[in-house]
Amino acid sequence: MDLSRRDFIVSSSAAAAGAVSPAQAQAPVQLAQAGGGAPSPRGFDPADPALKYELVIANGDVLDPSQKLRGKRDIGIRYGQIAAIAPSIPADRAVQRIDVAGKLVTPGLVDLHTHLCPHLGLGLPADELVGITCTTTAVSAGDAGWHTWGVFRHLALANSRTRLFSFVHIASIGLAGGLAPGEMLNIEYANVDGCAKVVAENPDTVLGVKVRITDSVVGQNGLEPLRRAIRAAEMAGKGVRVMCHIGAAPGNLADLLNLLRPGDVLTHAYSGAGNNTVQNGQLLPAARAAKQRGVIIDVGHGGGSFDFTVCEPAMQQGMPPDTISSDIHSVSINTPGYPTLPWVMSKFLALGMSLEDVVARATVEPAKIIGRVPGLGTLQVGAPADLAIMELVSGPVEFVDTRNNKRTGQQKLMPYLTIRGGRPFGRPPLPTPFVY
Ligand SMILES: [Zn+2]
């Protein structure tokens, strides 16, 4: 295949055709550098023995899968970055100190599938949810299309302390209409050139193209919205991903799965809405093949897209999740499945995944998919000082999926405090300038 062609935006006339050959559709995506590279401290020398910290998070049970680190640590923060992570930091080196003894401290949670654009459709205000999500970085899964992009860029992103990224919907109206009518009932909304333009113009923020392939969303249009989404992603440049939602998809699900390229994201991978990745108890070979060639397997719990009876055999038969995400929006958050990210993570603890693996799939792994911020999803020195502080509560707890299946777990993650860029939500920092 010819990778170089993706370095350029091709002409709009070629784009408007919207057609894509199978060979193009299956071409591998050249991924951005994992994690956005190594962090390097700005404005201080972490080796300076007299270095003062604006904030120290003390005595936490620190878990950072990116460093294979678990243990009691103090975390020093300066200039919005992790400045030290040590068994003990003297109290006189901290301007502000918060003792979190007994609490779990992880990198701020990174949620690959959310709807946090309150001005469009299903969206919620990101910062308002932090108290129940511990989420410091979130990806808007197609709330905006190219006609509504400015709403996301200038209202949601510009007004959120939460770090926001986005997939641009292949439908020009995005999800402005909410759950119905389906945004792809009229294929004319799927303007390849317009979508590619927005993606290419906003590489700092946009990860790729979103498409929903469900009967009620696409009507008679079958997989054509997905083909156009892939075409728009290929036009927009190297490493541009497609996030494809499934759930009661039309036709043979293998046809859809075979279109996804390495690096593309399959979200709602464990949906039980019909035409599932597990049928008659068996993981579809095309689903296993997608995972094996590097398609990202994403949870996207939501209000109707997570089924224990799909997830369990899929995990056993070769399709565990790469990323755990919530699909939190104004409808899903009011359902019994309660898809806040810590609650969805707790369900995977109940399914037998280790705490380290669960945290990795909601921090450093989605941060690699984002690939734009050095150190994101880690607690390495020089990384953004984004922290999730949770209580790991032991005791029987019942979880319900989106199809009323229940499972009992023995632990749950309960949000306690969230810090973004060195500043705790809900706890004002000390007045500046600091006096040392
Ligand atoms: Zn969604």
mmCIF file of all heavy atoms in Angstrom, residues 354-394:
data_model
loop_
_atom_site.group_PDB
_atom_site.id
_atom_site.type_symbol
_atom_site.label_atom_id
_atom_site.label_comp_id
_atom_site.label_asym_id
_atom_site.label_seq_id
_atom_site.Cartn_x
_atom_site.Cartn_y
_atom_site.Cartn_z
ATOM 1 N N SER A 354 -7.219 -7.844 36.788
ATOM 2 C CA SER A 354 -6.468 -7.303 37.926
ATOM 3 C C SER A 354 -6.637 -5.788 37.997
ATOM 4 O O SER A 354 -6.904 -5.124 36.989
ATOM 5 C CB SER A 354 -4.980 -7.642 37.787
ATOM 6 O OG SER A 354 -4.399 -6.864 36.756
ATOM 7 N N LEU A 355 -6.456 -5.254 39.203
ATOM 8 C CA LEU A 355 -6.560 -3.798 39.376
ATOM 9 C C LEU A 355 -5.554 -3.076 38.475
ATOM 10 O O LEU A 355 -5.881 -2.050 37.869
ATOM 11 C CB LEU A 355 -6.312 -3.445 40.852
ATOM 12 C CG LEU A 355 -6.383 -1.957 41.194
ATOM 13 C CD1 LEU A 355 -7.789 -1.402 40.972
ATOM 14 C CD2 LEU A 355 -5.943 -1.728 42.652
ATOM 15 N N GLU A 356 -4.354 -3.616 38.371
ATOM 16 C CA GLU A 356 -3.326 -2.979 37.532
ATOM 17 C C GLU A 356 -3.785 -2.917 36.070
ATOM 18 O O GLU A 356 -3.627 -1.907 35.391
ATOM 19 C CB GLU A 356 -2.013 -3.760 37.635
ATOM 20 C CG GLU A 356 -1.287 -3.617 38.960
ATOM 21 C CD GLU A 356 -1.956 -4.375 40.111
ATOM 22 O OE1 GLU A 356 -2.854 -5.220 39.860
ATOM 23 O OE2 GLU A 356 -1.585 -4.114 41.264
ATOM 24 N N ASP A 357 -4.357 -4.019 35.579
ATOM 25 C CA ASP A 357 -4.802 -4.058 34.185
ATOM 26 C C ASP A 357 -6.002 -3.136 33.962
ATOM 27 O O ASP A 357 -6.120 -2.484 32.922
ATOM 28 C CB ASP A 357 -5.168 -5.483 33.776
ATOM 29 C CG ASP A 357 -3.932 -6.342 33.529
ATOM 30 O OD1 ASP A 357 -2.825 -5.772 33.460
ATOM 31 O OD2 ASP A 357 -4.079 -7.569 33.416
ATOM 32 N N VAL A 358 -6.895 -3.095 34.931
ATOM 33 C CA VAL A 358 -8.061 -2.218 34.810
ATOM 34 C C VAL A 358 -7.614 -0.753 34.743
ATOM 35 O O VAL A 358 -8.067 0.011 33.877
ATOM 36 C CB VAL A 358 -9.028 -2.450 35.992
ATOM 37 C CG1 VAL A 358 -10.058 -1.331 36.074
ATOM 38 C CG2 VAL A 358 -9.719 -3.804 35.854
ATOM 39 N N VAL A 359 -6.706 -0.377 35.642
ATOM 40 C CA VAL A 359 -6.253 1.019 35.670
ATOM 41 C C VAL A 359 -5.486 1.359 34.389
ATOM 42 O O VAL A 359 -5.653 2.437 33.814
ATOM 43 C CB VAL A 359 -5.411 1.292 36.933
ATOM 44 C CG1 VAL A 359 -4.729 2.656 36.863
ATOM 45 C CG2 VAL A 359 -6.289 1.194 38.179
ATOM 46 N N ALA A 360 -4.667 0.436 33.907
ATOM 47 C CA ALA A 360 -3.926 0.705 32.666
ATOM 48 C C ALA A 360 -4.881 0.993 31.507
ATOM 49 O O ALA A 360 -4.633 1.884 30.685
ATOM 50 C CB ALA A 360 -3.032 -0.486 32.319
ATOM 51 N N ARG A 361 -5.993 0.249 31.461
ATOM 52 C CA ARG A 361 -6.928 0.396 30.343
ATOM 53 C C ARG A 361 -7.787 1.650 30.449
ATOM 54 O O ARG A 361 -8.580 1.944 29.541
ATOM 55 C CB ARG A 361 -7.795 -0.866 30.244
ATOM 56 C CG ARG A 361 -7.048 -2.001 29.570
ATOM 57 C CD ARG A 361 -7.581 -3.365 29.955
ATOM 58 N NE ARG A 361 -6.878 -4.413 29.223
ATOM 59 C CZ ARG A 361 -5.640 -4.819 29.475
ATOM 60 N NH1 ARG A 361 -4.926 -4.238 30.427
ATOM 61 N NH2 ARG A 361 -5.090 -5.788 28.766
ATOM 62 N N ALA A 362 -7.659 2.365 31.558
ATOM 63 C CA ALA A 362 -8.381 3.627 31.700
ATOM 64 C C ALA A 362 -7.423 4.797 31.960
ATOM 65 O O ALA A 362 -7.859 5.874 32.394
ATOM 66 C CB ALA A 362 -9.402 3.517 32.837
ATOM 67 N N THR A 363 -6.126 4.546 31.720
ATOM 68 C CA THR A 363 -5.140 5.633 31.864
ATOM 69 C C THR A 363 -4.151 5.596 30.695
ATOM 70 O O THR A 363 -4.376 6.217 29.676
ATOM 71 C CB THR A 363 -4.385 5.549 33.220
ATOM 72 O OG1 THR A 363 -3.772 4.249 33.356
ATOM 73 C CG2 THR A 363 -5.332 5.788 34.381
ATOM 74 N N VAL A 364 -3.096 4.818 30.838
ATOM 75 C CA VAL A 364 -2.008 4.900 29.852
ATOM 76 C C VAL A 364 -2.409 4.325 28.496
ATOM 77 O O VAL A 364 -1.950 4.821 27.448
ATOM 78 C CB VAL A 364 -0.727 4.233 30.402
ATOM 79 C CG1 VAL A 364 -0.884 2.718 30.538
ATOM 80 C CG2 VAL A 364 0.477 4.590 29.524
ATOM 81 N N GLU A 365 -3.276 3.317 28.479
ATOM 82 C CA GLU A 365 -3.645 2.733 27.180
ATOM 83 C C GLU A 365 -4.467 3.715 26.331
ATOM 84 O O GLU A 365 -4.122 3.946 25.169
ATOM 85 C CB GLU A 365 -4.358 1.396 27.374
ATOM 86 C CG GLU A 365 -3.467 0.310 27.994
ATOM 87 C CD GLU A 365 -2.213 0.034 27.166
ATOM 88 O OE1 GLU A 365 -2.268 0.180 25.932
ATOM 89 O OE2 GLU A 365 -1.169 -0.307 27.749
ATOM 90 N N PRO A 366 -5.553 4.283 26.856
ATOM 91 C CA PRO A 366 -6.239 5.298 26.038
ATOM 92 C C PRO A 366 -5.362 6.522 25.767
ATOM 93 O O PRO A 366 -5.510 7.163 24.715
ATOM 94 C CB PRO A 366 -7.487 5.655 26.861
ATOM 95 C CG PRO A 366 -7.232 5.144 28.238
ATOM 96 C CD PRO A 366 -6.305 3.982 28.085
ATOM 97 N N ALA A 367 -4.443 6.845 26.696
ATOM 98 C CA ALA A 367 -3.542 7.977 26.433
ATOM 99 C C ALA A 367 -2.662 7.708 25.218
ATOM 100 O O ALA A 367 -2.350 8.618 24.446
ATOM 101 C CB ALA A 367 -2.680 8.262 27.665
ATOM 102 N N LYS A 368 -2.274 6.456 25.024
ATOM 103 C CA LYS A 368 -1.499 6.104 23.822
ATOM 104 C C LYS A 368 -2.345 6.295 22.568
ATOM 105 O O LYS A 368 -1.832 6.692 21.525
ATOM 106 C CB LYS A 368 -1.037 4.646 23.896
ATOM 107 C CG LYS A 368 0.068 4.367 24.897
ATOM 108 C CD LYS A 368 0.372 2.862 24.854
ATOM 109 C CE LYS A 368 1.279 2.426 25.979
ATOM 110 N NZ LYS A 368 1.347 0.948 26.053
ATOM 111 N N ILE A 369 -3.618 5.969 22.663
ATOM 112 C CA ILE A 369 -4.499 6.150 21.506
ATOM 113 C C ILE A 369 -4.581 7.639 21.164
ATOM 114 O O ILE A 369 -4.545 8.032 20.000
ATOM 115 C CB ILE A 369 -5.919 5.607 21.794
ATOM 116 C CG1 ILE A 369 -5.878 4.166 22.290
ATOM 117 C CG2 ILE A 369 -6.812 5.752 20.563
ATOM 118 C CD1 ILE A 369 -5.300 3.173 21.352
ATOM 119 N N ILE A 370 -4.689 8.473 22.202
ATOM 120 C CA ILE A 370 -4.735 9.932 21.983
ATOM 121 C C ILE A 370 -3.403 10.391 21.394
ATOM 122 O O ILE A 370 -3.378 11.095 20.380
ATOM 123 C CB ILE A 370 -5.074 10.648 23.299
ATOM 124 C CG1 ILE A 370 -6.520 10.327 23.704
ATOM 125 C CG2 ILE A 370 -4.871 12.161 23.162
ATOM 126 C CD1 ILE A 370 -6.894 10.763 25.107
ATOM 127 N N GLY A 371 -2.291 10.009 22.035
ATOM 128 C CA GLY A 371 -0.960 10.205 21.455
ATOM 129 C C GLY A 371 -0.540 11.643 21.197
ATOM 130 O O GLY A 371 0.238 11.906 20.295
ATOM 131 N N ARG A 372 -1.033 12.582 21.973
ATOM 132 C CA ARG A 372 -0.715 13.982 21.711
ATOM 133 C C ARG A 372 -0.060 14.716 22.872
ATOM 134 O O ARG A 372 0.417 15.845 22.697
ATOM 135 C CB ARG A 372 -1.988 14.735 21.306
ATOM 136 C CG ARG A 372 -2.338 14.517 19.844
ATOM 137 C CD ARG A 372 -3.809 14.712 19.588
ATOM 138 N NE ARG A 372 -4.093 14.645 18.155
ATOM 139 C CZ ARG A 372 -4.178 13.504 17.473
ATOM 140 N NH1 ARG A 372 -3.957 12.357 18.063
ATOM 141 N NH2 ARG A 372 -4.460 13.530 16.177
ATOM 142 N N VAL A 373 -0.072 14.136 24.055
ATOM 143 C CA VAL A 373 0.443 14.824 25.241
ATOM 144 C C VAL A 373 1.507 13.953 25.888
ATOM 145 O O VAL A 373 1.200 12.874 26.401
ATOM 146 C CB VAL A 373 -0.696 15.095 26.254
ATOM 147 C CG1 VAL A 373 -0.155 15.839 27.464
ATOM 148 C CG2 VAL A 373 -1.842 15.847 25.594
ATOM 149 N N PRO A 374 2.781 14.390 25.869
ATOM 150 C CA PRO A 374 3.823 13.574 26.497
ATOM 151 C C PRO A 374 3.497 13.272 27.956
ATOM 152 O O PRO A 374 3.155 14.165 28.726
ATOM 153 C CB PRO A 374 5.069 14.461 26.382
ATOM 154 C CG PRO A 374 4.804 15.337 25.198
ATOM 155 C CD PRO A 374 3.314 15.592 25.227
ATOM 156 N N GLY A 375 3.588 12.012 28.305
ATOM 157 C CA GLY A 375 3.386 11.613 29.696
ATOM 158 C C GLY A 375 1.939 11.460 30.120
ATOM 159 O O GLY A 375 1.667 11.064 31.254
ATOM 160 N N LEU A 376 1.000 11.763 29.227
ATOM 161 C CA LEU A 376 -0.412 11.636 29.615
ATOM 162 C C LEU A 376 -0.716 10.193 30.036
ATOM 163 O O LEU A 376 -0.259 9.240 29.411
ATOM 164 C CB LEU A 376 -1.313 12.032 28.441
ATOM 165 C CG LEU A 376 -2.813 12.105 28.763
ATOM 166 C CD1 LEU A 376 -3.109 13.288 29.679
ATOM 167 C CD2 LEU A 376 -3.640 12.231 27.477
ATOM 168 N N GLY A 377 -1.485 10.077 31.106
ATOM 169 C CA GLY A 377 -1.866 8.742 31.573
ATOM 170 C C GLY A 377 -0.797 8.078 32.429
ATOM 171 O O GLY A 377 -0.891 6.888 32.708
ATOM 172 N N THR A 378 0.218 8.869 32.819
ATOM 173 C CA THR A 378 1.296 8.348 33.669
ATOM 174 C C THR A 378 1.531 9.311 34.831
ATOM 175 O O THR A 378 1.024 10.431 34.840
ATOM 176 C CB THR A 378 2.620 8.196 32.902
ATOM 177 O OG1 THR A 378 3.297 9.457 32.842
ATOM 178 C CG2 THR A 378 2.390 7.672 31.485
ATOM 179 N N LEU A 379 2.331 8.852 35.787
ATOM 180 C CA LEU A 379 2.770 9.723 36.886
ATOM 181 C C LEU A 379 4.281 9.918 36.814
ATOM 182 O O LEU A 379 4.951 10.092 37.830
ATOM 183 C CB LEU A 379 2.361 9.120 38.233
ATOM 184 C CG LEU A 379 0.849 8.983 38.468
ATOM 185 C CD1 LEU A 379 0.567 8.258 39.778
ATOM 186 C CD2 LEU A 379 0.164 10.360 38.460
ATOM 187 N N GLN A 380 4.835 9.903 35.619
ATOM 188 C CA GLN A 380 6.268 10.103 35.469
ATOM 189 C C GLN A 380 6.614 11.572 35.706
ATOM 190 O O GLN A 380 5.810 12.460 35.426
ATOM 191 C CB GLN A 380 6.708 9.705 34.059
ATOM 192 C CG GLN A 380 6.459 8.237 33.737
ATOM 193 C CD GLN A 380 6.702 7.930 32.269
ATOM 194 O OE1 GLN A 380 7.715 8.286 31.715
ATOM 195 N NE2 GLN A 380 5.744 7.263 31.653
ATOM 196 N N VAL A 381 7.824 11.820 36.206
ATOM 197 C CA VAL A 381 8.275 13.190 36.408
ATOM 198 C C VAL A 381 8.245 13.935 35.064
ATOM 199 O O VAL A 381 8.741 13.424 34.061
ATOM 200 C CB VAL A 381 9.688 13.221 37.029
ATOM 201 C CG1 VAL A 381 10.260 14.635 37.025
ATOM 202 C CG2 VAL A 381 9.637 12.673 38.448
ATOM 203 N N GLY A 382 7.618 15.086 35.062
ATOM 204 C CA GLY A 382 7.445 15.869 33.847
ATOM 205 C C GLY A 382 6.098 15.667 33.192
ATOM 206 O O GLY A 382 5.715 16.439 32.312
ATOM 207 N N ALA A 383 5.368 14.655 33.611
ATOM 208 C CA ALA A 383 4.037 14.407 33.051
ATOM 209 C C ALA A 383 3.046 15.434 33.609
ATOM 210 O O ALA A 383 3.289 16.038 34.653
ATOM 211 C CB ALA A 383 3.564 12.995 33.393
ATOM 212 N N PRO A 384 1.928 15.629 32.905
ATOM 213 C CA PRO A 384 0.889 16.501 33.476
ATOM 214 C C PRO A 384 0.478 15.982 34.855
ATOM 215 O O PRO A 384 0.327 14.773 35.042
ATOM 216 C CB PRO A 384 -0.274 16.359 32.483
ATOM 217 C CG PRO A 384 0.324 15.854 31.224
ATOM 218 C CD PRO A 384 1.517 15.036 31.628
ATOM 219 N N ALA A 385 0.287 16.912 35.797
ATOM 220 C CA ALA A 385 -0.105 16.501 37.160
ATOM 221 C C ALA A 385 -1.614 16.281 37.201
ATOM 222 O O ALA A 385 -2.361 17.039 37.815
ATOM 223 C CB ALA A 385 0.346 17.540 38.180
ATOM 224 N N ASP A 386 -2.029 15.241 36.506
ATOM 225 C CA ASP A 386 -3.431 14.807 36.503
ATOM 226 C C ASP A 386 -3.511 13.552 37.363
ATOM 227 O O ASP A 386 -2.875 12.542 37.044
ATOM 228 C CB ASP A 386 -3.897 14.456 35.081
ATOM 229 C CG ASP A 386 -3.885 15.640 34.125
ATOM 230 O OD1 ASP A 386 -3.568 16.768 34.559
ATOM 231 O OD2 ASP A 386 -4.198 15.434 32.935
ATOM 232 N N LEU A 387 -4.304 13.608 38.431
ATOM 233 C CA LEU A 387 -4.384 12.480 39.368
ATOM 234 C C LEU A 387 -5.835 12.108 39.643
ATOM 235 O O LEU A 387 -6.690 12.987 39.789
ATOM 236 C CB LEU A 387 -3.729 12.833 40.709
ATOM 237 C CG LEU A 387 -2.207 12.670 40.859
ATOM 238 C CD1 LEU A 387 -1.447 13.622 39.946
ATOM 239 C CD2 LEU A 387 -1.800 12.904 42.313
ATOM 240 N N ALA A 388 -6.081 10.821 39.714
ATOM 241 C CA ALA A 388 -7.360 10.313 40.209
ATOM 242 C C ALA A 388 -7.101 9.692 41.575
ATOM 243 O O ALA A 388 -6.220 8.844 41.717
ATOM 244 C CB ALA A 388 -7.928 9.273 39.250
ATOM 245 N N ILE A 389 -7.842 10.146 42.564
ATOM 246 C CA ILE A 389 -7.689 9.600 43.913
ATOM 247 C C ILE A 389 -9.017 8.953 44.281
ATOM 248 O O ILE A 389 -10.060 9.602 44.290
ATOM 249 C CB ILE A 389 -7.292 10.713 44.908
ATOM 250 C CG1 ILE A 389 -6.020 11.409 44.404
ATOM 251 C CG2 ILE A 389 -7.091 10.123 46.310
ATOM 252 C CD1 ILE A 389 -5.642 12.648 45.178
ATOM 253 N N MET A 390 -8.946 7.649 44.482
ATOM 254 C CA MET A 390 -10.175 6.869 44.690
ATOM 255 C C MET A 390 -10.028 6.002 45.935
ATOM 256 O O MET A 390 -8.921 5.706 46.379
ATOM 257 C CB MET A 390 -10.447 5.977 43.462
ATOM 258 C CG MET A 390 -10.691 6.766 42.184
ATOM 259 S SD MET A 390 -10.969 5.725 40.720
ATOM 260 C CE MET A 390 -9.298 5.261 40.285
ATOM 261 N N GLU A 391 -11.157 5.596 46.449
ATOM 262 C CA GLU A 391 -11.168 4.596 47.515
ATOM 263 C C GLU A 391 -11.463 3.246 46.887
ATOM 264 O O GLU A 391 -12.435 3.108 46.130
ATOM 265 C CB GLU A 391 -12.216 4.934 48.561
ATOM 266 C CG GLU A 391 -11.902 6.211 49.310
ATOM 267 C CD GLU A 391 -12.861 6.452 50.460
ATOM 268 O OE1 GLU A 391 -12.752 5.746 51.479
ATOM 269 O OE2 GLU A 391 -13.704 7.339 50.331
ATOM 270 N N LEU A 392 -10.617 2.276 47.174
ATOM 271 C CA LEU A 392 -10.875 0.905 46.740
ATOM 272 C C LEU A 392 -11.590 0.211 47.891
ATOM 273 O O LEU A 392 -10.965 -0.187 48.878
ATOM 274 C CB LEU A 392 -9.561 0.206 46.379
ATOM 275 C CG LEU A 392 -9.673 -1.233 45.869
ATOM 276 C CD1 LEU A 392 -10.506 -1.307 44.590
ATOM 277 C CD2 LEU A 392 -8.273 -1.817 45.627
ATOM 278 N N VAL A 393 -12.903 0.127 47.773
ATOM 279 C CA VAL A 393 -13.736 -0.350 48.877
ATOM 280 C C VAL A 393 -13.967 -1.855 48.716
ATOM 281 O O VAL A 393 -14.404 -2.306 47.649
ATOM 282 C CB VAL A 393 -15.088 0.393 48.890
ATOM 283 C CG1 VAL A 393 -15.982 -0.126 50.018
ATOM 284 C CG2 VAL A 393 -14.862 1.895 49.021
ATOM 285 N N SER A 394 -13.683 -2.605 49.771
ATOM 286 C CA SER A 394 -13.889 -4.057 49.732
ATOM 287 C C SER A 394 -15.236 -4.416 50.343
ATOM 288 O O SER A 394 -15.705 -3.767 51.279
ATOM 289 C CB SER A 394 -12.773 -4.768 50.513
ATOM 290 O OG SER A 394 -11.544 -4.590 49.836
#
